[in-house]
Amino acid sequence: MSRHGAGGWNHNIHYHRRILASLPPATRTVLDAGAGTGQLAQTLAAAGYAVTAIDRAADLAVTPRVPGLTWITGDVLTYDFGTAFDAVVSVAVLHHLPDLTAALTRLAGLTADGGTLIVIGLARPTRPSDHLIHAAGAVIHRLQVLRHGWQTDPATTCWPPQHSYAQVRRTAAQLLPGAEFRRLPLWRYELRWRKLPAGSGMSP
């Protein structure tokens, strides 16, 4: 597992602890959707969760086979998991996908009743406030790199993102009633949603 002091830092690693701290106490099973090199998946497995990590690029995975972690090479949008998960997490994935509605609908469908969906994503700035937060992120970036060093992410870069922050917020509000959307520094946003039990009228 890459730690800030030993393995460097980057914008995605920065938010791994935030995800870990956001998982409800009742969480047992976690899907890491678009797991990349598997660093978040390994962090979650080390914390005691039963983790399924999926990514289309098999050559990215550097995660060793560890207890509690199952690695799948495949497409999260089409793979048949045969189950839903107490938590679904996704970091820097949705901006690669042209159909945001289909992606969020799929991730919501993989979330078990009572479960939690957490997305840390990238989006395109369109408002003055977006650019101000990006400017603050540039300062944080410089300070963190000086402190921790920089770890290059081997995943394919997609810039600019295909969706704007406003589009993500609007789509999430339509598909995921009660979802919380937050702008984060370091060119990221957080989308957090709890899927209420079937019959409550609050799930997509």
Side-chain angles (χ1 to χ4, degrees):
M1 173 174 28
S2 175
R3 299 184 184 276
H4 288 184
W9 172 91
N10 62 38
H11 302 153
N12 293 330
I13 292 172
H14 184 81
Y15 291 111
H16 287 183
R17 289 184 181 179
R18 184 182 182 95
I19 291 172
L20 192 62
S22 298
L23 295 177
T27 303
R28 297 292 179 269
T29 61
V30 181
L31 172 66
D32 185 356
T37 60
Q39 288 175 282
L40 174 59
Q42 190 176 356
T43 297
L44 293 166
Y49 298 104
V51 181
T52 299
I54 184 169
D55 199 283
R56 289 183 295 182
D59 59 327
L60 289 180
V62 297
T63 304
R65 300 305 180 191
V66 297
L69 174 57
T70 300
W71 184 271
I72 297 171
T73 300
D75 188 340
V76 68
L77 297 181
T78 59
Y79 188 86
D80 182 8
F81 295 94
T83 188
F85 300 85
D86 297 332
V88 176
V89 301
S90 176
V91 177
V93 174
L94 294 189
H95 70 292
H96 288 271
L97 307 176
D99 192 336
L100 181 62
T101 296
L104 284 177
T105 299
R106 172 62 168 164
L107 295 184
L110 291 170
T111 306
D113 289 351
T116 301
L117 170 63
I118 301 173
V119 174
I120 303 292
L122 289 76
R124 189 174 66 254
T126 55
R127 300 175 178 177
S129 59
D130 295 334
H131 293 286
L132 287 174
I133 295 174
H134 280 197
V139 175
I140 295 171
H141 167 85
R142 289 179 179 272
L143 293 174
Q144 293 284 34
V145 170
L146 286 173
R147 182 179 180 185
H148 301 299
W150 177 258
Q151 178 174 310
T152 301
D153 192 325
T156 302
T157 300
C158 177
W159 194 266
Q162 301 194 52
H163 322 107
S164 70
Y165 291 106
Q167 285 175 308
V168 175
R169 184 194 296 268
R170 183 170 58 250
T171 303
Q174 293 171 347
L175 298 175
L176 310 174
E180 300 175 32
F181 178 93
R182 294 183 180 89
R183 282 297 319 276
L184 302 173
L186 301 172
W187 303 273
R188 300 293 186 274
Y189 65 83
E190 178 187 51
L191 180 62
R192 191 185 306 179
W193 176 67
R194 178 174 177 263
K195 184 175 184 177
L196 298 183
S200 66
M202 294 292 290
S203 297

